[in-house]
Every structure is written in structure tokens, then in C-alpha cells.
Amino acid sequence: MRTCRTVASLRRALAARAGDRVGFVPTMGCLHEGHLSLVRASRRENDVTVVSVYVNPSQFAPGEDLDRYPRDERRDAALLRREGADVLFLPADAEMYPAPYRTWVDVAGLDGKLCGRSRPGHFRGVATVVLKLLNLVRPQRAYFGQKDAQQALVIRQMVRDLHLGVRLRVLPIVRDADGLALSSRNAYLSAEERRAALALPKALRRAQARVAAGERDARALRAAMAAEIGREPLLQVDYIAVVRLDNLEDTAAVEPGNTLVAVAVRAGRTRLIDNFLCGEISC
Ligand code: PAF
């Protein structure tokens, strides 16, 4: 595996593989099985797999966890080497945002909803860094996790709007044995918060079973999930949403093929998200 810390060295590494099909997995590091499932898919579907590990400061709102976000470069590199990734891109801030930096991507209409309401500027930072990374790597396919469904939808819109010509592969959420969706931020949870957080997958599983049994009423689904999550005093609900996949607008009725059921809560200082899809984000 070749490790590149600069744009110039990444370009050299990619030039050496000209003509190969490139798969790209952007990450913020502290890798877990969710990330590794994306790396494995990329390896199956491409000739070269490039992984970036970059804690992108522009997607953290003021007061969020940028400074304490878990970082472990050596462990990440060892895991990626073991998985057979070909190129690891590990840029510094000055490499990604050379001063004076002035260009930003706003995916209007999708970035202010759901998580965007409580994380102002988050999706602008995500869209900007992902566009920059896609421009650098020029992959045929890019891999994202369904856990960050809104992120994937924002990126899908950007890819369409800007004719980026990359295929987006959005892969299923990977969970711990007890059902909790894997996230680098789970490391922040106390044992009590972690136990309480299991209300999310439980509520979503029950809602998904009701949809599978024919329930279409979004209000009834939201109420059932709110009751389940509300039983945990350690959780503060940010949102429980049943929205259309194409525009993230609230919907009154689940529309098979076009619905995202998503939940965000706070457990102490930690923000947790989870969801299920009635439809596809990959494109
Ligand atoms: O999902 C993430 O880890 C990040 O938001 C991403 C896509 C790597 C952009 O910084």
C-alpha cells in the first residue's frame, strides 16, 4: 500500500495506475467494520482501491468535536494494509485547503434539513471536501455508508448536478452484535449511554417490520418510534423523520422506493444517527 500525504504524490501514485478502474473510499479514519466493508466492496469491483483518511475541519460546526475526534493513523494504515487497499491518502489541512481558500459547494435544499438543522454548515463542508477528493482521485466508483444517508443523498445530488460521472455505491449499515450501528463516535459513549442507544436500532427495526407488514402512515410510525426512544431518559431526540428520498421533505405516507426513515438523538455529548431505507441511494 502506498501512503501519500500530498496532492502531488497522490497524482504520481494514480498516474502509475492509469487505465485501471479506480474505487475510492473517503473516510475520517478511526476505521471500523463499516469502513472496511466499503474497502472490501471497492476491492471486489475495481482494480485499484484508494482510501482517504482526513478529519475535514470544514464539516464540524463551532463547538462540535473536531478537537477530540478519534484519530489513530497507525492503526488505520495497518487495517487498510491488511484489507489490501492500494493507496492511502493522508493529507494535512494545508494540502486540502491551501490559503487563501475561497470555493465552497452548497447543495441547496438538501443541506439544511434533518442533520443540517442542528449542524449548520456541515453538509457544505462535506460536499466541498468530497468534491475536492473526487477531483483528485477521479474514481469510477465511490463508496459511502448508508448510516450517513443524508450525506449520501447530498453527494448524489452534487454528482448529478455537476456531471461528475462517478458511480456512487451506498452500502448497508454495519452493526454491532447488539444492533448498534457502528460509528467512530460510539467510542465517546459511557456504558449506560451505549445501553440506552440500543433504543435506536430497536425502534427502527420495529418500524421497518410495520412497513413490511403494510403500514404506510408516517405519523403512526414516528409516534411509535418516539415512544420507544422516549423510554430512555439518557436520550434526547433531535429528530425522528419519515421523508422522501428524492428531496428529504416530510411525507405523510411511506412511498415504497422513495422513503428514508431516520433518527438522530443525543446521548450526553454524543450525537447518534441511524435509519432504514425504503429505496435505493446508489446511482
Ligand atoms: O463520512 C465521512 O466520514 C465524512 O463525512 C467524509 C465523507 C469522509 C467527508 O469528510
Side-chain angles (χ1 to χ4, degrees):
M1 183 177 76
R2 200 152 150 189
T3 299
C4 304
R5 293 182 185 274
T6 63
V7 166
S9 67
L10 176 67
R11 290 209 162 114
R12 277 196 300 275
L14 291 168
R17 305 294 303 254
D20 283 350
R21 289 167 309 169
V22 177
F24 176 46
V25 184
T27 81
M28 297 211 299
C30 191
L31 302 178
H32 52 63
E33 274 299 311
H35 299 110
L36 300 183
S37 72
L38 306 182
V39 174
R40 288 174 200 136
S42 172
R43 288 207 64 220
R44 280 195 303 277
E45 296 171 1
N46 304 281
D47 305 312
V48 184
T49 290
V50 180
V51 181
S52 62
V53 170
Y54 177 58
V55 181
N56 171 38
S58 73
Q59 68 187 74
F60 289 78
E64 286 191 343
D65 56 344
L66 173 61
D67 293 336
R68 65 183 186 119
Y69 194 84
R71 294 162 169 89
D72 193 341
E73 200 178 293
R74 200 183 291 199
R75 178 179 165 276
D76 289 344
L79 285 171
L80 291 171
R81 205 169 288 118
R82 199 186 69 196
E83 291 297 334
D86 299 283
V87 178
L88 167 59
F89 183 43
L90 273 170
D93 289 342
E95 201 65 19
M96 289 306 287
Y97 295 99
Y101 189 81
R102 302 188 198 281
T103 306
W104 298 97
V105 181
D106 285 311
V107 183
L110 294 186
D111 56 2
K113 302 197 167 90
L114 303 182
C115 291
R117 274 196 209 110
S118 48
R119 305 191 69 191
H122 170 68
F123 290 109
R124 179 189 215 224
V126 169
T128 301
V129 82
V130 171
L131 178 60
K132 288 163 71 65
L133 291 165
L134 290 174
N135 271 336
L136 289 170
V137 178
R138 305 278 166 125
Q140 273 71 40
R141 296 184 186 81
Y143 295 79
F144 296 88
Q146 183 199 308
K147 187 173 77 64
D148 296 298
Q150 183 176 9
Q151 164 172 287
L153 288 162
V154 164
I155 293 166
R156 179 173 80 174
Q157 187 71 44
M158 175 180 79
V159 164
R160 286 178 177 164
D161 289 351
L162 301 182
H163 308 287
L164 296 184
V166 58
R167 284 198 59 195
L168 285 193
R169 303 273 288 110
V170 180
L171 299 189
I173 297 174
V174 178
R175 299 179 181 279
D176 261 331
D178 57 10
L180 190 66
L182 294 188
S183 162
S184 307
R185 290 188 167 99
N186 290 353
Y188 300 152
L189 296 171
S190 69
E192 266 303 283
E193 289 167 348
R194 199 187 180 295
R195 191 203 46 72
L198 295 178
L200 265 71
K202 198 165 155 196
L204 285 163
R205 241 185 354 255
R206 289 193 172 163
Q208 193 166 18
R210 286 179 66 166
V211 172
E215 177 67 86
R216 294 289 175 265
D217 183 0
R219 193 195 302 223
L221 290 171
R222 279 198 309 268
M225 289 189 287
E228 183 84 53
I229 294 168
R231 275 199 276 280
E232 285 297 347
L234 290 182
L235 302 183
Q236 271 182 295
V237 173
D238 180 358
Y239 62 77
I240 296 175
V242 181
V243 295
R244 290 170 53 124
L245 264 183
D246 54 358
N247 58 14
L248 294 179
E249 297 285 350
D250 283 332
T251 179
V254 171
E255 199 186 313
N258 189 24
T259 303
L260 166 67
V261 180
V263 174
V265 303
R266 275 183 193 287
R269 289 170 68 201
T270 310
R271 195 163 181 284
L272 298 170
I273 55 175
D274 201 346
N275 67 72
F276 71 88
L277 288 177
C278 308
E280 247 312 290
I281 305 182
S282 294
C283 65

